[in-house]
Amino acid sequence: HVQLVESGGGSVQAGESLRLSCVGSGYTYSCYCLAWFRQAAGKEREWVPSISFDGTPMYADSVEGRFTISKDNTKTSLLLQMNNLTIEDSALYYCTATPPRFCHLTIGSRGGYVDVWGQGTQVTVS
């Protein structure tokens, strides 16, 4: 049974930082393209960053330079370091896993090709 569990969300002031973590189990973690999506209240879900199975990161323009995605295959963990947070970053953040053949389709998407979703962790910036 494939499972992703996020943690690390919370409430912070604008300009502060948070670090999200996602632990995966039940599959060959290193073979998947991993990504974070987020959904703010009343808005559509949006892709934030991705990291490929070989460790190549890509970022949405809105978070480029502020967010850093990384992974540890030995610990099956995915991290998202978020710096200089703004009110617009407030959302429910989801950790996701996508089969490699669909990785390029997740970038900039609403998550239609994602295979596995975590339960989400809330980030609130005020």
Side-chain angles (χ1 to χ4, degrees), residues 51-83:
I51 188 165
S52 66
F53 66 94
D54 64 356
T56 302
M58 293 193 69
Y59 298 93
D61 290 343
S62 59
V63 305
E64 180 85 52
R66 300 188 298 120
F67 289 15
T68 302
I69 188 172
S70 60
K71 65 174 182 173
D72 183 340
N73 289 335
T74 61
K75 299 179 181 179
T76 64
S77 64
L78 177 69
L79 302 175
L80 183 64
Q81 178 67 42
M82 305 185 295
N83 297 328

Side-chain angles (χ1 to χ4, degrees), residues 25-48:
S25 62
Y27 64 110
T28 306
Y29 194 75
S30 61
C31 292
Y32 276 72
C33 173
L34 307 173
W36 292 92
F37 283 78
R38 67 186 182 186
Q39 187 165 19
K43 295 185 178 181
E44 291 187 337
R45 186 169 56 204
E46 64 174 347
W47 168 76
V48 185

Side-chain angles (χ1 to χ4, degrees), residues 10-30:
S11 297
V12 296
Q13 298 290 318
E16 295 183 341
S17 300
L18 275 176
R19 189 186 195 198
L20 304 184
S21 178
C22 172
V23 178
S25 62
Y27 64 110
T28 306
Y29 194 75
S30 61

Side-chain angles (χ1 to χ4, degrees), residues 6 100 103 116:
E6 304 98 331
C103 284
V116 184

